[in-house]
Amino acid sequence: MTEQRGGTGSMGAVPEVVVEEKRRISIVWLIPLVAVVIGAWLVYKAISEKGPVVTITFKTAAGLEAGKTKIKYKDVEVGKVESVTFGEDLSKVVVTAELSPEMRPYLTESTRFWVVTARVAAGEVSGLSTLLSGAFIGMDPGRDGESERNFIGLEKAPVVVADTPGTRFVLRSKSLGSIEAGSPIYYRRIRVGEVESYELEQGGEDIVFRVFVYAPHDRLVHENTRFWNASGIDVSLNADGLRLETESMVSLLVGGIAFDTPSDLDNASPAASGTEFQLYQSREATTKHEYQRKDYYLVYFEGSVRGLKVGAPVVIRGMEVGKVVDMNFLFDVKKVDFEVPVLIEIEPDRIKVVGLEPGDEERKMVNELVARGLRAQLRSGNILTGQLMVELEFQPNAPPATIRTEGQYKVLPSVPATIDQLRLGLNEILRKIQDLPLDKIAENLNNTLAGTSRLVNSEEVAASVRSLNGTLLQTERLAAGLSDDVMPELEGTLKQARSAMQNVDGLLRSDSPAYNELMAMMRELSGAARSLRMMANYLERHPEALIKGKSR
């Protein structure tokens, strides 16, 4: 405030100006400042505590409600659906949801969402609790990849969640069979894994299966482990007969895959994650060796090939060395005949060749085999089904033949099948029978029969028969006389002969007097013979003894 003090004259005293320092900020202003700070803190707290907002795209919004449907992970609520709207062109629905802040680090490219509802399918019953609580969205937090806020929901719950211990592998097959996502994987009939998904490879060559084997069973998968389709009942009817095989009752309904490691491959290293394996169609197929070298031959068979199919085995002395890969049906205009060329595939590595000299070629060996009678022949592979197979065997009586080339294939000579050989033999017999002079033979036979009839009905034969009857009657009477007269006398003679033999036996017994006397006489005779021999020896040495006598 300024004041005027003192002065002179009429104007009086002029007051002095007093300058006082004014306060810069009034304390009143502290109140709005504090309010602003508190508001900012509240806003920061609200923003910092707000969870991440994500959008999930589904095909339908079945069971989903804005403000009610929850998002769960391991049955713990981690978020809630805020809105459900249509996407572009109304083909999909977009769900906007807010998640708990602790889920923020796990929202990555590998994070997955799906709708959990009650599900009853073959081999699978899940989500029954949602019948009372309502559907919810399941979450599988991801740890790999970049941060992400927009997701595409799965149509089904994933078979394996991210934190399940185990290893993933890739299988390739030419056929899907009855395998589905969720089909079990067995190791020696114990369930150790699941089929996560499958897809047709780009280009349509293979079907790629992504499978998961739980720990610690994943250590059983080695680099040379064999996987095979164990779905349902494996029924095979081939030249070996009827064969049934199944892995479990579950696999009968939903299919399945089994694996094992051959004993000779146990030392192989454990397979790493992502290792690719071939999926065989059966366990039997895993035991078959794969041979890279394949030789192809054409064979023309005479007669019917009914029962021979593509895939039929080619055998040598019962050992399979190949298979039939193709058949055709031709009509040769020049020959005016039908032909059935059969293309067979032979795997030479199935045969261990010994004694091969350097410079020898397998082609020469095949020519030598054909020169020695090797021929292709159709044989029965299964009597019940009538299936045929091709057998390569030496035919000693086969006509000479060589291998010729037709197009890109060599042609192996063949011989008719056994049944055809029998048919040809019968035809040959019939032909010979037809060549016989049957009319003349019949005429001669009729004449012979007529002559025989005249001879049988002649009077001479009747007289001979009557004379023979008389002779037989006399013989019968003679036999009766022998029975009544001769037989008693013969019986008495036999008794006397038996008595005489008993007497002789008594004389010859070792304790009988006659035997002892006989033996004494024999000893005396032996002594006399010895004396004569000694005398003869003495006279031979001393002939003068006949004149002078024995010298002393």
Side-chain angles (χ1 to χ4, degrees):
M1 176 178 286
T2 304
E3 293 182 359
Q4 295 180 348
R5 296 179 181 177
T8 61
S10 59
M11 295 298 295
V14 177
E16 295 179 357
V17 177
V18 178
V19 179
E20 296 181 353
E21 186 176 357
K22 189 178 180 180
R23 295 180 179 178
R24 295 181 179 177
I25 299 175
S26 172
I27 192 170
V28 177
W29 290 104
L30 291 176
I31 297 175
L33 289 175
V34 171
V36 169
V37 172
I38 294 174
W41 182 80
L42 291 175
V43 170
Y44 170 77
K45 183 178 180 182
I47 293 176
S48 63
E49 292 182 353
K50 182 177 177 62
V53 176
V54 298
T55 60
I56 311 168
T57 303
F58 291 104
K59 287 186 177 179
T60 67
L64 303 180
E65 294 184 50
K68 292 185 178 179
T69 301
K70 300 175 182 178
I71 299 177
K72 295 183 178 181
Y73 171 62
K74 293 185 177 180
D75 286 337
V76 177
E77 183 178 345
V78 296
K80 183 178 292 185
V81 174
E82 293 182 341
S83 66
V84 179
T85 60
F86 287 109
E88 295 181 359
D89 66 9
L90 305 180
S91 61
K92 299 181 183 300
V93 295
V94 179
V95 174
T96 303
E98 180 182 350
L99 300 177
S100 302
E102 60 265 27
M103 290 290 107
R104 192 186 307 276
Y106 303 104
L107 294 174
T108 65
E109 295 174 342
S110 59
T111 302
R112 297 178 293 182
F113 294 92
W114 65 94
V115 178
V116 179
T117 58
R119 180 179 178 82
V120 178
E124 179 185 5
V125 178
S126 62
L128 294 182
S129 61
T130 60
L131 293 175
L132 301 176
S133 62
F136 63 88
I137 296 177
M139 177 183 177
D140 181 22
R143 294 173 175 80
D144 301 327
E146 300 292 334
S147 179
E148 183 62 56
R149 293 295 183 270
N150 299 315
F151 302 92
I152 297 176
L154 303 177
E155 294 302 316
K156 294 175 58 178
V159 176
V160 181
V161 294
D163 58 351
T164 304
T167 307
R168 288 180 169 83
F169 301 102
V170 177
L171 308 181
R172 290 181 175 273
S173 175
K174 298 295 182 184
S175 174
L176 175 63
S178 57
I179 299 174
E180 297 287 345
S183 294
I185 296 178
Y186 295 97
Y187 177 77
R188 298 183 180 178
R189 301 185 186 278
I190 298 176
R191 186 168 182 164
V192 297
E194 311 280 350
V195 176
E196 288 191 288
S197 63
Y198 64 87
E199 61 182 0
L200 184 63
E201 188 184 43
Q202 190 174 6
E205 291 294 330
D206 293 329
I207 296 176
V208 180
F209 298 88
R210 304 190 186 283
V211 302
F212 187 86
V213 179
Y214 300 115
H217 307 296
D218 55 344
R219 292 182 298 178
L220 300 173
V221 181
H222 294 73
E223 293 177 348
N224 292 321
T225 292
R226 307 292 177 87
F227 288 82
W228 68 88
N229 189 335
S231 302
I233 300 176
D234 185 9
V235 181
S236 60
L237 185 62
N238 49 36
D240 297 329
L242 183 63
R243 187 168 178 271
L244 300 175
E245 186 174 350
T246 183
E247 196 68 24
S248 71
M249 291 301 296
V250 176
S251 65
L252 292 175
L253 301 175
V254 299
I257 294 174
F259 71 88
D260 201 353
T261 302
S263 57
D264 57 340
L265 301 175
D266 277 341
N267 295 327
S269 302
S273 177
T275 302
E276 292 191 1
F277 297 90
Q278 179 182 354
L279 178 61
Y280 294 87
Q281 293 303 308
S282 65
R283 185 188 184 109
E284 182 184 6
T286 64
T287 61
K288 294 183 178 178
H289 294 283
E290 296 183 358
Y291 300 96
Q292 300 299 325
R293 288 200 306 154
K294 301 180 187 299
D295 292 341
Y296 295 90
Y297 295 90
L298 268 179
V299 182
Y300 288 89
F301 290 106
E302 298 180 9
S304 173
V305 295
R306 182 183 177 87
L308 183 66
K309 299 182 181 300
V310 174
V314 178
V315 301
I316 297 178
R317 298 186 177 180
M319 298 295 293
E320 185 172 340
V321 296
K323 63 181 179 182
V324 175
V325 296
D326 195 12
M327 300 174 62
N328 211 335
F329 189 44
L330 305 177
F331 178 74
D332 192 328
V333 177
K334 295 181 179 178
K335 298 179 180 177
V336 194
D337 195 3
F338 296 97
E339 292 182 337
V340 182
V342 177
L343 182 63
I344 63 174
E345 173 190 274
I346 295 179
E347 296 167 330
D349 293 336
R350 288 176 178 265
I351 306 172
K352 185 178 180 181
V353 180
V354 295
L356 186 66
E357 297 294 338
D360 291 347
E361 298 179 7
E362 293 185 355
R363 181 175 57 82
K364 293 182 179 178
M365 289 193 297
V366 176
N367 292 334
E368 180 65 19
L369 291 174
V370 172
R372 294 191 177 190
L374 184 72
R375 301 288 186 272
Q377 187 181 36
L378 291 178
R379 289 292 182 91
S380 175
N382 190 302
I383 298 177
L384 297 178
T385 62
Q387 291 184 345
L388 297 178
M389 61 181 181
V390 178
E391 183 179 48
L392 303 179
E393 188 55 273
F394 289 100
Q395 304 291 339
N397 300 324
T402 57
I403 292 182
R404 60 184 176 86
T405 302
E406 183 175 306
Q408 58 178 328
Y409 301 112
K410 299 180 179 64
V411 180
L412 273 179
S414 65
V415 294
T418 304
I419 186 70
D420 290 333
Q421 289 180 334
L422 179 61
R423 179 176 55 80
L424 293 176
L426 291 175
N427 290 336
E428 183 66 18
I429 294 173
L430 290 176
R431 187 184 62 77
K432 291 181 178 178
I433 292 176
Q434 289 177 351
D435 294 340
L436 293 174
L438 297 179
D439 295 339
K440 188 174 181 180
I441 293 174
E443 183 181 358
N444 293 337
L445 183 60
N446 288 332
N447 294 335
T448 302
L449 292 175
T452 304
S453 178
R454 287 193 298 272
L455 178 61
V456 170
N457 297 322
S458 64
E459 183 60 28
E460 291 81 0
V461 173
S464 299
V465 171
R466 286 193 294 272
S467 177
L468 180 60
N469 288 333
T471 303
L472 292 175
L473 290 174
Q474 292 177 0
T475 303
E476 185 177 0
R477 285 195 291 273
L478 177 61
L482 290 174
S483 177
D484 296 337
D485 302 332
V486 177
M487 288 305 294
E489 295 180 359
L490 181 60
E491 184 176 357
T493 303
L494 290 176
K495 287 181 179 179
Q496 292 176 359
R498 187 180 300 110
S499 177
M501 292 300 295
Q502 289 177 352
N503 294 333
V504 172
D505 181 64
L507 292 174
L508 297 179
R509 290 177 57 184
S510 60
D511 55 348
S512 63
Y515 178 80
N516 293 330
E517 293 177 357
L518 180 60
M519 292 305 295
M521 184 179 66
M522 291 300 295
R523 283 194 293 273
E524 291 178 356
L525 289 176
S526 296
R530 187 165 53 250
S531 299
L532 288 175
R533 186 167 54 253
M534 292 174 60
M535 183 180 69
N537 291 336
Y538 181 82
L539 290 177
E540 184 177 2
R541 292 193 302 271
H542 305 281
E544 72 276 8
L546 293 174
I547 300 174
K548 297 179 180 180
K550 185 177 181 181
S551 62
R552 294 178 181 272

